[in-house]
Amino acid sequence: MRLRLKYNSPVILTFALLCLGVLIFSELTGYRYMDWFITRRAPLNQIQTYVTMVTYILGHASVNHFMSNMMLLLLTGPVVEERYGSKNTLIIILATAILTAIANMAVTTNGLIGCSGVVFAFIILCSMTSFRHGEIPITMILVVILYLGQEIIAGVITTDNISQMAHVIGGIAGAAFGFFLAYRRR
């Protein structure tokens, strides 16, 4: 039997490779161009404001930040892509990025970097893979309580550089997409 490598999840693998490319570029340039990979409240008449509403998900603040996001992305993303398809996976990534960027710009002047909002959307979507009309999986309820509950509590009681709001928005986006795609499949 011959074994061969398979590019089994094209959207997720390409996304991960783009993130890796940005990380390597950032490390080599001393993060000089990170303004193109961070979204923040900025004038609406600048093209960079709109570009970074998507490109920030490719950037990461450090190798550790990248590694933690990629581990979860590579665990959850292929499940999401297999279940919902490559096109829907790409739409989920882009829509979650834009929604999270808009929410971040609306409530804070802090910059936002990394794909953890997308990862949280995928975590919720993974817990919904067995979702059927008229049923709510208990696993989804538990994931929402554990992951999003933890982020809401952390957002209230801690002051760190982690955007719990991005995680919560990503989780809400994941649940919304999960319900929408499940009802559309009927």
Side-chain angles (χ1 to χ4, degrees), residues 40-67:
R40 59 173 53 93
R41 189 181 300 163
L44 296 178
N45 63 348
Q46 293 180 358
I47 190 76
Q48 186 176 2
T49 302
Y50 299 99
V51 170
T52 60
M53 290 174 74
V54 174
T55 59
Y56 79 93
I57 62 175
L58 300 175
H60 289 83
S62 67
V63 173
N64 286 339
H65 183 214
F66 169 81
M67 294 296 284

Side-chain angles (χ1 to χ4, degrees), residues 134-148:
E135 299 176 351
I136 297 177
I138 292 174
T139 54
M140 187 199 93
I141 294 169
L142 293 173
V143 167
V144 167
I145 290 169
L146 294 173
Y147 273 94
L148 295 183

Side-chain angles (χ1 to χ4, degrees), residues 20-137:
L20 177 62
V22 169
L23 179 72
I24 291 168
F25 177 75
S26 299
E27 288 285 322
L28 292 175
T29 62
Y31 290 84
R32 278 191 306 234
Y33 301 99
M34 282 314 287
D35 279 351
W36 286 97
F37 301 103
I38 297 174
T39 191
R40 59 173 53 93
R41 189 181 300 163
L44 296 178
N45 63 348
Q46 293 180 358
I47 190 76
Q48 186 176 2
T49 302
Y50 299 99
V51 170
T52 60
M53 290 174 74
V54 174
T55 59
Y56 79 93
I57 62 175
L58 300 175
H60 289 83
S62 67
V63 173
N64 286 339
H65 183 214
F66 169 81
M67 294 296 284
S68 64
N69 274 340
M70 287 305 111
M71 282 188 280
L72 286 171
L73 177 77
L74 293 171
L75 278 171
T76 60
V79 174
V80 169
E81 190 167 352
E82 184 177 322
R83 171 79 166 131
Y84 300 108
S86 296
K87 179 182 169 189
N88 285 330
T89 301
L90 181 59
I91 290 168
I92 291 164
I93 290 170
L94 295 174
T96 301
I98 292 167
L99 289 171
T100 305
I102 291 170
N104 188 70
M105 289 178 193
V107 300
T108 183
T109 58
N110 295 339
L112 185 61
I113 185 171
C115 62
S116 54
V118 171
V119 168
F120 268 76
F122 287 171
I123 290 169
I124 299 299
L125 281 164
C126 276
S127 71
M128 296 178 75
T129 56
S130 64
F131 181 80
R132 288 176 184 47
H133 180 65
E135 299 176 351
I136 297 177

